[in-house]
């Protein structure tokens, strides 16, 4: 059995076929699309038309947003006066696009405008007093914040007190006390009347631009779409319209910087979609602020110089590659720590390191959460004992609420339900860990820790086609609150399955119903290959339908998100060579020979456990409960393995059955070979078998290991005596049956064990193992 990593949730209500047919006919879509619309709460033809024709929907009136008119009036006054206006932005993709939108708009209407992107490491997030003071000293008369400001009370109030006005444009959570800014433009301000509250920072900046220009600035839609998708705000309502239109502009962008960035990312401009932004463009823009000052990001987005655009795009792409390397290296170390014995017993994780780049710790925390399902903080410790980093959580655990009660014990702290940033001194680390665990126990996290995959229903293999994919595009753009459809597929066979990639980390499959096939790719699921091969008719996958173009041919492909294999799994992985890779999967590794277990101790990872089969201090049934089990080496007797199998109600058993040298192939010495040795010891005295064994083997034409066995048998029946490594024959030995020698009997059992376990066909081996074990078929 291979359990799904996530909990699969299907729509709670069953949609009546009549309702599906009625909606499908009313808005002229296939029944599958109509069903998906209904399960997403879009049940009437009017709602469906609005959703499906997002690019035809009018934008909301920007003047309905709180303080919009006041903000526009103040900006226009500054323009007339020729005052220096500084846009104070943010260093992520939303902040950079917000800044670019506001900068181009003010520049277009004749403002004396510049911009400032705070440095993540020097200035931190949001208004920074030193930065504002420096800008004021340089001549700034009006600040316009984008994608920040509503939480900047202290700084903004101080700036206003100096007689310099601040217009805040933001979309983040509104604190209880707002700054005394000249104007606060926010879609969810309680005193406003704006009908859509989920705009991104770029979306709010776009609305300010619309109000200033008194028309919708279509040339800025590409920037607004990038910021909206990058910031993971809801892709419903006005955001859906904004992104739908923005993607059309982006596909034909005239911005040299964006064109160069799209090329550097290896994206096809004509096929750009929300996924292209989320996984291609946004990470590259975000890499700037994570590793250095992001000021050049606005220049990249706004420059008209193609040479400069190419230069900046190359720099951004190189920084993103560096960011990927840092994440990979830190995540590997952090994951090892997350899986150590102490952390395995914890419900939450605090992972720490030194010389970890603080700009990527949030990404690393997300990786750890994805791998473990546990809320995680990843912190870098400097030489003073100060730990700074980021945390990520799961839906069932409010990370901000868990830490907030001890905020006085921290140097700095902020965030929300799913993500936090904090700084803590080393001597308060245990206080932090305790607070996390206390909150986890309080909300009974163990009952809700498994991540959830919300499915859209079952999809037949025959329907996993390009026609279906084309139909589903009517629901795009996909993102927050409008995810790409996830389907459950139940193939009757898996004709092809193989682990791919340099480290065999990924999985390539072909799913079949007997008549139709569809290819599938599962990233970071290479370890599931053996379980699938063992039970190819009991596989269920969850995935997203996509298109794969190769050599000019486009085919449907399933992007697998999770896999489950039902029934017991007996995986035949017999091998004559052992490597560290074979011990990378979590589970219990059972050894029959202590020397081998000791020799391979360095192969064991924090999330693996090596046990000796005949260790009386270990209860295998307890140790291996709900764990994959690996039989590492071949036992000396079938009874040894039977005894182990009988203790285990196995779900997944992998058989390596390693034997360094085959006893079965060497066989049992013949009678005449024993006779030849008997004659040799009768006439040769004081044989130094420690140093002369190879010479003796050559003289008798025997394999060295076989000779060792024969000498052991003679010793046990009294034909020879050995003192300090010197062998002599016994004069007039008593008659003895060699078959009674313990070594002889053991070898017979070893040969029988190898014949059954190493040299049988895979099906016969699995049948034998299942017959011995308490395994559910």
């Amino acid at each position: 059995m291979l359990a799904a990593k996530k909990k699969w949730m299907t729509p709670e209500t069953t949609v009546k076929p009549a309702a599906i047919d009625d909606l499908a006919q009313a808005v002229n879509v296939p029944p599958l699309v109509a069903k998906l619309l209904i399960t997403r709460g879009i049940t009437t033809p009017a709602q469906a038309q609005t959703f499906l024709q997002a690019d035809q929907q009018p934008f909301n009136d920007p003047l309905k947003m709180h303080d919009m008119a006041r903000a526009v009036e103040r900006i226009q006054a500054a323009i007339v006066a020729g005052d220096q206006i500084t846009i104070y932005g943010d260093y992520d993709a939303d902040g950079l696009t917000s800044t670019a939108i506001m900068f181009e708009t003010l520049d277009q209407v004749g403002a004396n405008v510049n911009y400032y992107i705070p440095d993540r490491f020097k200035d931190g997030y949001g208004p920074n007093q030193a930065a504002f003071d420096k800008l004021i000293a340089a001549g700034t008369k009006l600040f316009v914040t984008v994608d920040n400001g509503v939480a900047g009370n202290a700084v903004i109030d101080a700036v206003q007190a100096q007689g310099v006005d601040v217009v805040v444009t933001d979309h983040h959570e509104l604190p209880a006390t707002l700054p005394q800014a000249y104007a606060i433009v926010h879609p969810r301000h309680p005193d406003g009347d704006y009908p859509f509250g989920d705009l991104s920072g770029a979306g709010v900046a776009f609305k300010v631009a619309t109000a200033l220009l008194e028309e919708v600035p279509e040339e800025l839609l590409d920037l607004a779409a990038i910021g909206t998708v990058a910031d993971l705000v809801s892709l419903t309502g006005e955001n859906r319209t904004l992104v739908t239109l923005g993607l059309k502009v982006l596909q034909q962008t005239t911005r040299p910087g964006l064109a160069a960035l799209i090329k550097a990312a290896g994206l096809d401009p004509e096929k750009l979609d929300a996924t292209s932004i989320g996984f291609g463009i946004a990470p590259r823009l975000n890499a700037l602020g994570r590793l250095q000052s992001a000021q050049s990001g606005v220049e990249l987005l706004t420059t008209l110089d193609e040479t400069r655009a190419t230069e900046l795009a190359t720099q951004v792409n190189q920084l993103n590659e560096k960011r990927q390397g840092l994440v990979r290296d830190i995540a590997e170390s952090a994951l090892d720590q997350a899986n150590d014995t102490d952390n395995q017993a914890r419900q939450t994780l605090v992972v720490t390191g030194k010389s970890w780049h603080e700009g990527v710790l949030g990404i690393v925390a997300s990786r750890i959460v994805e791998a473990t399902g546990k809320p995680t903080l990843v912190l870098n410790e400097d030489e003073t004992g100060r730990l700074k980093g980021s945390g990520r959580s799961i839906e069932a655990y409010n990370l901000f609420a868990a830490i907030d009660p001890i905020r006085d014990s921290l140097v700095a702290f902020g965030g929300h339900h799913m993500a936090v940033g904090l700084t803590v001194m080393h001597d308060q680390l245990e206080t932090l860990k305790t607070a996390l665990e206390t909150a986890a126990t309080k909300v009974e996290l163990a009952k809700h820790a498994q991540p959830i995959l919300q499915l859209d229903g079952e999809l037949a293999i025959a329907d996993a086609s390009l026609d279906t994919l084309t139909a589903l595009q009517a629901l795009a753009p996909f993102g927050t609150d409008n995810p790409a459809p996830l389907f459950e597929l139940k193939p009757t066979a898996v004709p092809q399955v193989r682990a791919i990639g340099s480290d065999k980390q990924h999985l390539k499959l072909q799913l079949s119903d007997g008549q139709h096939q569809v290819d599938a790719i599962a990233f970071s699921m290479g370890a599931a290959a053996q379980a699938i091969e063992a039970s190819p008719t009991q596989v269920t996958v969850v995935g997203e339908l996509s298109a794969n173009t190769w050599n000019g041919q486009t085919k449907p492909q399933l992007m697998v998100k999770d896999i489950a294999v039902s029934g017991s799994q007996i995986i035949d992985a017999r091998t004559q060579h052992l490597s560290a890779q074979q011990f990378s999967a979590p589970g219990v590794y059972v050894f029959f020979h202590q020397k081998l277990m000791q020799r391979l101790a360095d192969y064991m990872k924090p999330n693996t456990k090596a046990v000796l089969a005949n260790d009386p201090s270990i209860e295998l049934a307890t140790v291996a409960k709900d764990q994959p089990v690996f039989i590492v080496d071949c036992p000396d007797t079938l009874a040894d393995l039977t005894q182990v199998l009988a203790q285990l109600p196995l779900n997944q058993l992998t058989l390596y059955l390693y034997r360094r040298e085959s006893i079965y192939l060497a066989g049992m010495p013949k009678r005449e070979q024993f006779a030849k040795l008997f004659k040799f010891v009768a006439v040769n005295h004081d044989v130094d078998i420690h140093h002369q064994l190879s010479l003796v083997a050559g003289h008798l034409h025997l394999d060295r290991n076989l000779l060792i066995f024969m000498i052991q048998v003679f010793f046990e029946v009294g034909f020879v005596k050995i003192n300090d490594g010197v062998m002599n024959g016994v004069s007039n030995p008593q008659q003895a049956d060699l078959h009674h020698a313990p070594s002889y009997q053991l070898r017979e059992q070893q040969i029988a064990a190898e014949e059954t376990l190493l040299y049988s066909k895979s099906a016969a081996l699995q049948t034998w193992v299942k017959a011995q074990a308490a395994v559910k078929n």
Side-chain angles (χ1 to χ4, degrees):
M1 175 180 179
L2 177 67
K5 292 185 177 180
K6 299 182 179 181
K7 184 177 182 180
W8 302 351
M9 301 289 289
T10 55
E12 294 182 0
T13 56
T14 301
V15 183
K16 295 181 179 180
I20 295 173
D21 292 340
D22 289 346
L23 186 62
Q25 292 177 15
V27 295
N28 192 29
V29 295
L32 175 61
V33 173
K35 180 181 179 181
L36 292 173
L37 287 169
I38 294 171
T39 59
R40 295 177 184 214
I42 302 166
T43 58
T44 69
Q47 290 173 329
Q49 289 288 7
T50 299
F51 184 86
L52 296 171
Q53 299 174 2
D55 57 343
Q56 299 177 31
Q57 304 310 310
F59 285 110
N60 296 317
D61 182 356
L63 293 177
K64 289 186 176 182
M65 201 174 297
H66 180 265
D67 272 355
M68 180 67 81
R70 182 172 170 82
V72 168
E73 179 187 10
R74 181 65 185 87
I75 292 171
Q76 289 173 335
I79 295 171
V80 171
D83 289 341
Q84 176 70 61
I85 303 174
T86 295
I87 303 164
Y88 192 93
D90 189 27
Y91 41 70
D92 66 2
D94 189 22
L96 296 177
T97 51
S98 302
T99 303
I101 290 169
M102 194 69 73
F103 176 72
E104 287 193 354
T105 300
L106 294 181
D107 184 62
Q108 181 180 339
V109 295
N112 177 17
V113 61
N114 61 10
Y115 56 84
Y116 182 84
I117 302 298
D119 188 295
R120 175 193 294 264
F121 308 104
K122 297 177 182 178
D123 302 324
Y125 169 76
N128 176 277
Q129 188 67 61
F132 270 67
D133 289 344
K134 182 178 179 180
L135 291 165
I136 291 170
T140 296
K141 300 297 185 183
L142 172 66
F143 287 98
V144 178
T145 73
V146 290
D147 195 32
N148 76 95
V150 292
N153 302 51
V155 175
I156 291 175
D157 292 355
V159 170
Q160 287 284 160
Q162 295 180 54
V164 178
D165 287 335
V166 180
V167 170
V168 171
T169 76
D170 200 354
H171 73 113
H172 289 96
E173 291 297 326
L174 290 160
T177 303
L178 295 172
Q180 298 297 313
Y182 184 88
I184 297 178
V185 179
H186 194 292
R188 293 190 304 280
H189 195 289
D191 296 333
D193 190 32
Y194 199 71
F196 184 74
D198 288 322
L199 293 172
S200 66
V204 175
F206 183 80
K207 303 305 291 190
V208 175
T210 302
L212 278 167
L213 298 172
E214 298 183 343
E215 64 178 3
V216 174
E218 295 183 1
E219 70 280 4
L220 298 177
L221 280 165
D222 51 359
L223 296 178
I226 292 172
T228 299
V229 173
D231 217 49
L232 302 178
V233 291
S234 177
L235 281 193
T236 58
E238 189 171 28
N239 281 343
R240 182 172 170 81
T241 298
L242 192 154
V243 173
T244 301
L245 292 171
L247 284 170
K248 293 180 179 180
V249 176
L250 188 61
Q251 289 166 356
Q252 301 177 14
T253 187
T254 58
R255 297 177 181 276
L258 276 181
L261 190 60
I262 290 167
K263 182 179 179 180
L267 300 171
D268 183 345
E270 295 181 358
K271 296 181 179 179
L272 290 174
D273 57 14
T275 300
S276 306
I277 294 174
F279 292 92
I281 296 173
R284 285 167 170 79
L285 293 176
N286 283 329
L288 276 169
R290 292 187 182 281
L291 302 185
Q292 65 174 40
S293 169
Q295 192 86 357
S296 61
V298 181
E299 182 184 0
L300 171 67
L301 297 173
T302 59
T303 184
L304 299 177
D305 185 330
E306 292 189 0
T307 301
R308 180 60 174 159
T310 300
E311 177 185 338
L312 288 170
T314 300
Q315 292 175 6
V316 168
N317 202 52
Q318 289 172 344
L319 275 175
N320 187 57
E321 291 176 355
K322 180 180 179 181
R323 187 269 307 170
Q324 290 173 327
L326 287 170
V327 169
R328 183 172 55 251
D329 293 343
I330 297 172
E332 182 178 354
S333 177
L335 190 56
D336 282 344
Q337 190 178 144
N339 287 321
D340 66 25
T341 303
D342 290 342
N343 278 324
Q344 282 185 339
R346 296 179 61 86
Q347 301 177 80
T348 60
L349 299 172
V350 179
V351 179
T352 66
K354 295 184 178 180
S355 299
W356 285 357
H357 198 293
E358 293 173 5
V360 301
L361 298 188
I363 301 175
V364 174
S366 295
R367 296 275 181 92
I368 303 302
V369 172
E370 176 69 21
T372 66
K374 298 179 180 181
T376 300
L377 301 179
V378 181
L379 309 173
N380 176 64
E381 183 172 2
D382 65 18
E383 62 278 1
T384 69
R386 181 184 296 251
L387 296 104
K388 183 179 180 182
S390 300
R392 297 293 184 268
S393 192
I394 61 175
E395 200 63 46
Y397 186 85
N398 188 322
L399 189 56
F400 180 87
I403 300 174
D404 192 48
I406 63 156
R407 66 162 53 239
D408 291 342
S409 300
L410 308 177
V411 177
F413 171 62
H416 53 80
H417 181 125
M418 297 291 286
V420 300
L422 59 84
T423 303
V424 59
M425 297 306 296
H426 187 86
D427 60 2
Q428 293 298 318
L429 199 56
E430 286 304 317
T431 301
L432 177 61
K433 291 180 178 180
T434 300
L436 292 175
E437 288 295 291
T438 299
T441 300
K442 186 176 181 180
V443 300
E444 297 182 301
L445 181 60
K447 294 182 178 179
H448 310 287
Q450 188 177 23
I452 292 174
L453 272 182
Q454 190 66 51
L455 309 189
D456 290 280
E458 190 171 333
L459 185 70
I461 299 292
D463 293 331
S465 63
L466 290 178
D467 288 343
T468 298
L469 182 60
T470 299
L472 293 176
Q473 291 307 304
L475 303 174
F478 299 118
T480 304
D481 293 336
N482 184 46
L486 277 183
F487 297 109
E488 181 179 358
L489 285 80
K490 297 179 178 179
T492 58
V494 184
Q496 296 180 20
V497 53
R498 59 190 179 95
I500 61 173
S502 58
D503 53 2
K504 305 298 182 183
Q505 186 179 5
H506 311 304
L507 195 63
K508 190 169 180 62
L509 307 165
Q510 187 179 77
L511 311 177
S512 173
D513 63 1
Q515 292 182 308
H516 309 89
Q517 292 81 35
V518 63
D519 293 334
I521 187 78
F523 293 109
S524 302
M525 299 185 196
Q530 294 175 331
I532 295 170
E533 289 173 338
S535 298
T537 62
Q538 297 175 295
V539 176
T540 305
V541 300
V542 168
E544 173 187 332
L545 195 60
S546 66
N548 180 40
T549 301
W550 178 255
N551 288 337
Q553 184 179 11
T554 300
K555 298 171 61 178
Q557 177 176 262
L558 192 75
M559 305 297 292
V560 178
K561 305 300 181 183
D562 206 357
I563 300 175
V565 182
S566 58
S568 300
Q569 307 294 310
I570 307 297
I571 300 170
D572 182 1
R574 288 177 288 188
T575 182
Q576 292 180 314
H577 304 282
L578 293 175
S579 66
Q581 180 65 29
Q582 291 161 299
F583 297 85
S584 59
V588 176
Y589 291 78
V590 179
F591 290 80
F592 289 95
H593 300 93
Q594 188 170 17
K595 287 185 178 180
L596 180 64
M597 187 171 79
Q598 292 171 341
R599 183 159 61 88
L600 300 182
D602 291 342
Y603 285 179
M604 295 298 124
K605 304 294 184 183
N607 59 346
T608 64
K609 185 173 182 61
V611 298
L612 195 62
N614 60 359
D615 187 342
S617 66
I618 293 178
E619 291 186 9
L620 273 177
T622 301
V623 173
K625 184 179 181 181
D626 300 325
Q627 293 277 340
V629 176
F630 299 78
I631 303 296
V632 178
D633 50 340
C634 183
D636 288 330
T637 74
L638 291 173
D640 289 343
L641 182 54
T642 297
Q643 185 178 5
V644 168
L645 296 175
Q647 299 178 59
L648 303 174
L650 302 177
N651 292 321
Q652 180 176 318
L653 175 70
T654 300
L655 302 170
Y656 293 157
L657 295 173
Y658 166 78
R659 171 80 80 180
R660 183 178 180 184
E661 295 180 355
S662 174
I663 296 174
Y664 173 81
L665 294 179
M668 191 68 79
K670 297 178 181 179
R671 181 181 180 86
E672 56 266 28
Q673 290 174 314
F674 275 119
K676 187 182 293 187
L677 176 60
F678 190 84
K679 291 179 181 179
F680 176 84
V681 298
V683 298
N684 292 277
H685 306 290
D686 297 329
V687 179
D688 185 352
I689 57 176
H690 279 179
H691 301 93
Q692 298 177 313
L693 190 65
S694 296
L695 292 174
V696 176
H699 176 74
L700 297 175
H701 303 292
L702 293 171
D703 176 78
R704 188 174 186 276
N705 289 330
L706 194 63
L707 176 59
I708 292 173
F709 162 70
M710 294 167 64
I711 291 172
Q712 180 65 28
V713 170
F714 275 17
F715 177 78
E716 290 172 358
V717 299
F719 286 0
V720 299
K721 56 185 178 181
I722 301 173
N723 294 310
D724 297 328
V726 177
M727 178 179 69
N728 284 286
V730 174
S731 300
N732 300 316
Q734 294 182 0
Q735 285 190 344
D737 188 343
L738 300 183
H739 296 78
H740 293 166
S743 294
Y744 197 102
Q745 294 180 354
L746 175 60
R747 190 176 183 90
E748 286 183 322
Q749 294 181 81
Q750 289 173 326
I751 290 173
E754 287 190 17
E755 183 178 17
T756 298
L757 302 178
L758 302 186
Y759 297 100
S760 59
K761 291 184 177 180
S762 184
L765 175 64
Q766 293 186 29
T767 298
W768 184 90
V769 170
K770 287 183 178 181
Q772 316 305 312
V775 178
K776 293 180 181 179
N777 292 289

